[in-house]
Amino acid sequence: MVELKKSDFYFDLPEELIAQDPLEDRASSRLLVLNKETGGVEHHIFRDIVHFLEPGDCLVLNNTKVIPARLLGVKEETGAAVEVLLLKRKEKDVWETLVRPGKKMRPGAKISFGNGLLKAEVLEVVEEGNRLIRFSYDGIFEEVLDRLGEMPLPPYITHKLQDKNRYQTVYAKYEGSAAAPTAGLHFTTELLKEIESGGVDIAYVTLHVGLGTFRPVKEENVLEHHMHSEYYEVSKEAADLINSAKEKGGRIICVGTTSARTLESAADENGHLTACSGNTEIFIYPGYRFKILDCLLTNFHLPESTLIMLVSALAGRESVLAAYRKAVEEKYRFFSFGDAMFIR
């Protein structure tokens, strides 16, 4: 096996191309269409996606919902500012979290949020320095969180988000993500109706996106990178829709790397799906053989990230990097609030 180097996935990105704010109209983003067979590139507007979908295709969307997982509080003993990011619910009021600054937050440390509306105690330090925290409050946790929490925007977005819903897809349903499945942010309810009326099936799967999705690959040898774990669920309804489209010769088109990782984790060797749920650490990079996915609709990803590696596995590293260079040249907007790419 040829060694894959992290630096093989580097491209030069001017900082001004990192989108800081969502567009007024979701579907007016630009859309770069990459032909994975020829490497050919076309430039469109996102709502033109309807022209690239055919009757019998199945579009797969991730209906996870981002929780306002960023809490700003103070350490009760000293009044020092503390930031807590909710990563994963372990039991009713116990969460695995990322705490900044972490060093002083030892087991027993107490934190107060919103003048005591929400209180927390650090229980233990777990892997990667994360903290297990128990929360106490009056009423319903989700309602308290909605009042006090902020959307946990990625580190490269420095502007304050004016409307929480803009970091949420229009079809978000099941709470549990610390980051949005951003390829889906371009869809409007009207556009989805138009796609369905064109004879395209829409299947919903769930993968709760963790902050590990932003974790940089540190090892130069890509194969030494340890992938983060995320919870996913495929319902019987979704499995039946996807299997049926596949059997009839339709294409399976994943919206976002999260939908792609869900299907590739859940499918058997013959590309067949059954209803299932679990945690996935699947790491897709060049050399991977896709079992079920045919096409991918995705945003533009960070240099040297596991996400650009996944895209390169589908369309070929050279073609992807050439398309990214073209996108930089044409001043496409990058990352979470940026433009989209359709690999067909």
Side-chain angles (χ1 to χ4, degrees):
M1 170 106 195
V2 184
E3 185 183 306
L4 274 180
K5 295 211 270 303
K6 178 176 81 162
S7 50
D8 292 339
F9 299 91
Y10 179 79
F11 65 92
D12 208 20
L13 180 69
E15 206 172 310
E16 65 269 16
L17 295 185
I18 299 173
Q20 290 294 334
D21 303 287
L23 295 180
E24 194 69 36
D25 168 17
R26 288 175 184 258
S28 65
S29 304
R30 292 162 79 190
L31 177 69
L32 185 147
V33 179
L34 171 63
N35 184 315
K36 64 178 187 283
E37 308 303 330
T38 66
V41 160
E42 297 171 40
H43 305 286
H44 294 270
I45 296 298
F46 188 81
R47 56 172 56 85
D48 296 342
I49 190 67
V50 293
H51 307 307
F52 295 97
L53 304 177
E54 295 157 17
D57 285 345
C58 184
L59 194 66
V60 183
L61 305 173
N62 179 8
N63 60 9
T64 186
K65 194 170 191 178
V66 187
I67 57 173
R70 183 171 181 249
L71 286 162
L72 302 173
V74 293
K75 190 173 178 186
E76 285 193 356
E77 296 89 330
T78 62
V82 180
E83 179 183 339
V84 173
L85 279 166
L86 305 181
L87 299 179
K88 206 177 273 180
R89 189 177 228 147
K90 291 300 198 181
E91 49 190 85
K92 187 175 180 290
D93 291 323
V94 177
W95 286 74
E96 184 175 336
T97 66
L98 181 65
V99 179
R100 296 191 190 113
K103 282 200 175 76
K104 294 184 177 162
M105 302 309 290
R106 299 189 184 93
K110 293 185 168 62
I111 313 165
S112 172
F113 308 93
N115 295 324
L117 267 181
L118 181 64
K119 289 177 179 277
E121 181 180 350
V122 177
L123 300 180
E124 61 176 292
V125 180
V126 291
E127 61 176 325
E128 289 175 30
N130 294 344
R131 272 33 180 192
L132 279 191
I133 279 183
R134 177 179 285 117
F135 288 100
S136 53
Y137 49 89
D138 288 329
I140 297 163
F141 181 72
E142 284 69 20
E143 287 176 5
V144 176
L145 189 61
D146 207 46
R147 259 184 85 174
L148 300 179
E150 294 180 7
M151 282 301 183
L153 294 179
Y156 45 73
I157 293 177
T158 55
H159 290 192
K160 193 162 168 58
L161 185 62
Q162 299 309 314
D163 174 6
K164 271 186 190 177
N165 287 325
R166 291 312 307 271
Y167 194 56
Q168 208 77 273
T169 61
V170 295
Y171 47 82
K173 192 173 182 183
Y174 298 110
E175 294 193 327
S177 276
T182 55
L185 295 178
H186 305 283
F187 287 98
T188 60
T189 312
E190 297 71 36
L191 188 55
L192 288 169
K193 280 187 187 136
E194 191 183 338
I195 287 167
E196 268 190 303
S197 63
V200 175
D201 283 326
I202 296 182
Y204 293 95
V205 296
T206 307
L207 179 137
H208 292 321
V209 190
L211 286 176
T213 195
F214 302 117
R215 207 169 77 211
V217 176
K218 293 197 173 92
E219 294 79 7
E220 182 54 20
N221 177 357
V222 165
L223 307 189
E224 289 172 10
H225 176 70
H226 176 64
M227 220 30 200
H228 54 286
S229 169
E230 291 169 320
Y231 177 80
Y232 72 90
E233 222 167 275
V234 178
S235 65
K236 184 179 184 310
E237 185 188 358
D240 290 349
L241 265 179
I242 294 164
N243 289 335
S244 167
K246 196 87 176 159
E247 281 155 22
K248 292 175 186 160
R251 297 174 302 169
I252 306 305
I253 299 163
C254 284
V255 174
T257 55
T258 61
S259 301
R261 292 178 67 238
T262 301
L263 290 203
E264 292 298 316
S265 298
D268 67 17
E269 287 313 308
N270 305 314
H272 186 82
L273 281 177
T274 46
C276 60
S277 64
N279 291 298
T280 179
E281 293 182 0
I282 192 169
F283 183 11
I284 298 175
Y285 49 79
Y288 180 86
R289 292 187 60 168
F290 286 88
K291 297 183 282 194
I292 188 164
L293 171 155
D294 297 298
C295 308
L296 179 68
L297 187 60
T298 185
N299 278 16
F300 291 93
H301 303 294
L302 279 83
E304 302 185 330
S305 63
T306 59
L307 305 177
I308 195 171
M309 291 170 194
L310 184 153
V311 173
S312 299
L314 181 64
R317 187 180 67 91
E318 278 87 2
S319 291
V320 167
L321 288 176
Y324 269 56
R325 282 195 293 273
K326 197 82 193 143
V328 168
E329 218 173 277
E330 298 286 334
K331 298 207 171 356
Y332 273 70
R333 300 161 74 249
F334 276 68
F335 307 161
S336 300
F337 288 138
D339 296 316
M341 179 185 209
F342 181 47
I343 300 172
R344 58 191 287 232

